[in-house]
Amino acid sequence: MTIDLPIPITRYFAFDAARDLDALATCFTDDATVKDEGQVYEGCEAIIAWKRGAGSKYKYTVEPFAVATEGNRTIVTGHLVGNFPGSPVDLRYGFRFDGDRIADLEIGA
């Protein structure tokens, strides 16, 4: 299923799928924040370290299938499948932008 996503989100999911961390870093502002699994990652270096750890620990794919707007956030729901406990699962990705880059991302069920 194909859905229309804002360009920063399309780039985020494409670079994540390709495991291209250098390109993924360009999706975020320098002081961006990511919240995932009860942890908070602040700044681009911490975010890339988080992705590096998740990418080496688990192999996964994400297929976005729904998008909505809630206040100043764009919420994407994606089907996540991989070799992690509880797979598969549908997760919500809450994005907030600063211009054309991601300033804040919160991932949860």
Side-chain angles (χ1 to χ4, degrees):
M1 169 190 242
T2 302
I3 59 174
D4 284 331
L5 297 173
I7 291 171
I9 295 174
T10 298
R11 293 177 68 229
Y12 170 83
F13 283 116
F15 296 148
D16 185 43
R19 307 300 189 257
D20 186 341
L21 299 182
D22 290 332
L24 188 71
T26 69
C27 295
F28 292 93
T29 62
D30 292 338
D31 61 348
T33 300
V34 171
K35 297 173 189 157
D36 183 39
E37 296 184 329
Q39 300 293 314
V40 177
Y41 306 91
E42 296 183 40
C44 208
E45 287 184 28
I47 291 168
I48 296 309
W50 158 70
K51 290 305 289 185
R52 184 174 289 115
S56 66
K57 195 156 74 168
Y58 302 114
K59 302 298 179 218
Y60 60 88
T61 60
V62 181
E63 182 179 343
F65 65 86
V67 62
T69 301
E70 293 180 4
N72 65 349
R73 291 188 170 281
T74 301
I75 308 298
V76 175
T77 306
H79 190 65
L80 181 69
V81 177
N83 65 341
F84 56 88
S87 177
V89 64
D90 290 341
L91 292 179
R92 290 171 40 103
Y93 296 77
F95 294 90
R96 189 177 56 79
F97 306 109
D98 182 357
D100 63 352
R101 294 170 70 196
I102 300 164
D104 184 65
L105 170 58
E106 186 169 352
I107 303 170

